[in-house]
C-alpha cells in the first residue's frame, strides 16, 4: 500500500491530518481543543482558488471533522452533498455511531465507488498483517477470521454492507483482534476516500 502523506494536501491541512491514533469503530471522543482550529477550516482556507468541484471540497471538510471524531459536524456537511462520495462519508458516520441499518442504506446510495478496488486490496493485506501481529502479541485474542479473507472482501470486490456487519459483530463480541483489524481497514478507507475527494476537488492537482 502507498503510505498516506498528510503533507501532500498543503500546509493548511497537514497539521490536521497527522493523527496517528486509530479511530474507534464507535463514536469516539472528539478532542475539544481542536474545535476552534477545525472551525477555521473552510473550502477557501484549504483550497484557495484551486477548487474545480465544490461538492468534493465540502466532502473533504466532512472527512476532516470525522477524522477527529466530530460526528455531528461531519454529518451536517455530508448530508448536504448529493454525490456518491457525500453518501460515503454519510454512511461511515452512521456506521460509527452504531446506526448500522442506516449506514447500509447510505452505502447502497454510494453504488460502486472508484476507491472500492483499492480498499479491497488494502483490506486483504491488513487482515493478514494486522491480524497476525495482534494474535502473535496476544494469542488469547485470536479470532476465527484472522488470517482469512475478511467477509467484506471477495476477490477484488469490496462489500461495504458486509464490512458494516463485521464491525458490528466485532463490537458486540468485544473481539480485540477483530476490532484492531477493522480499525486499520477503517483508517485506510478514510485515507482512500479523502484522497479521492481532494483529487476531484482540485481537478487532480
Amino acid at each position: 500500500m502507498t503510505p498516506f502523506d498528510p503533507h501532500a494536501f498543503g500546509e493548511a491541512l497537514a497539521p490536521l491530518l497527522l493523527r496517528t491514533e486509530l479511530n474507534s469503530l464507535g463514536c469516539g471522543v472528539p478532542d475539544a481543543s481542536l474545535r476552534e482550529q477545525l472551525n477555521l477550516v473552510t473550502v477557501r482556507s484549504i483550497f484557495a482558488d484551486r477548487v474545480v468541484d465544490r461538492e468534493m471540497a465540502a466532502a473533504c471538510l466532512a472527512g476532516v471533522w470525522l477524522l477527529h471524531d466530530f460526528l455531528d459536524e461531519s454529518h451536517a456537511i455530508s448530508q448536504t452533498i448529493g454525490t456518491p462520495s457525500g453518501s460515503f462519508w454519510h454512511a461511515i458516520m452512521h456506521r460509527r455511531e452504531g446506526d448500522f441499518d442506516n449506514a447500509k442504506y447510505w452505502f447502497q446510495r454510494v453504488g460502486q465507488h472508484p476507491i472500492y478496488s483499492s480498499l479491497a486490496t488494502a483490506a486483504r493485506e491488513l487482515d493478514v498483517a494486522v491480524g497476525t501481529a495482534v494474535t502473535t502479541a496476544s494469542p488469547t485474542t485470536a479470532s476465527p477470521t484472522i488470517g482469512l479473507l475478511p467477509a467484506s472482501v471477495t476477490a477484488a470486490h469490496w462489500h461495504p454492507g458486509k464490512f458494516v456487519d463485521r464491525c458490528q459483530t466485532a463490537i458486540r463480541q468485544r473481539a480485540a483482534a477483530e476490532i484492531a483489524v477493522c480499525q486499520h481497514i477503517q483508517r485506510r478507507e478514510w485515507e482512500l476516500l479523502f484522497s479521492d475527494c481532494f483529487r476531484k476537488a482540485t481537478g487532480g492537482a
Side-chain angles (χ1 to χ4, degrees):
M1 291 182 289
T2 303
F4 180 79
D5 180 11
H7 298 286
F9 302 95
E11 294 181 3
L13 267 180
L16 289 170
L17 304 183
L18 289 169
R19 174 174 177 153
T20 56
E21 180 185 357
L22 293 174
N23 295 94
S24 167
L25 295 183
C27 292
V29 179
D31 185 346
S33 68
L34 288 176
R35 182 180 290 278
E36 184 176 352
Q37 187 177 357
L38 286 165
N39 278 327
L40 296 175
V41 176
T42 64
V43 169
R44 182 165 183 79
S45 70
I46 295 174
F47 298 100
D49 59 354
R50 293 185 296 161
V51 175
V52 299
D53 187 328
R54 293 193 66 83
E55 284 194 309
M56 289 301 94
C60 289
L61 299 185
V64 173
W65 282 101
L66 191 62
L67 178 66
H68 294 285
D69 297 331
F70 288 90
L71 271 63
D72 289 340
E73 290 78 0
S74 178
H75 184 222
I77 299 171
S78 64
Q79 68 180 347
T80 69
I81 304 171
T83 67
S85 292
S87 295
F88 204 145
W89 289 119
H90 198 162
I92 295 173
M93 190 286 302
H94 283 303
R95 188 184 69 214
R96 288 194 54 198
E97 73 170 356
D99 191 349
F100 300 111
D101 287 340
N102 211 3
K104 289 181 180 180
Y105 167 80
W106 284 101
F107 274 123
Q108 288 177 344
R109 295 279 297 268
V110 173
Q112 287 300 312
H113 198 278
I115 74 163
Y116 279 173
S117 178
S118 296
L119 183 53
T121 299
R124 287 196 303 273
E125 294 174 3
L126 288 167
D127 191 58
V128 175
V130 177
T132 299
V134 171
T135 54
T136 298
S138 181
T140 59
T141 66
S143 161
T145 65
I146 295 301
L148 304 174
L149 291 183
S152 45
V153 180
T154 56
H157 300 290
W158 177 250
H159 300 282
K162 292 182 179 180
F163 185 60
V164 171
D165 291 337
R166 186 179 186 186
C167 291
Q168 183 179 11
T169 299
I171 294 167
R172 185 177 65 247
Q173 295 181 350
R174 299 182 180 179
E178 269 288 89
I179 288 172
V181 174
C182 289
Q183 283 180 293
H184 279 84
I185 294 173
Q186 177 176 258
R187 173 56 61 85
R188 189 56 176 162
E189 174 188 52
W190 186 95
E191 293 172 349
L192 289 168
L193 181 56
F194 183 85
S195 298
D196 186 70
C197 289
F198 190 91
R199 179 181 58 81
K200 290 174 179 173
T202 58

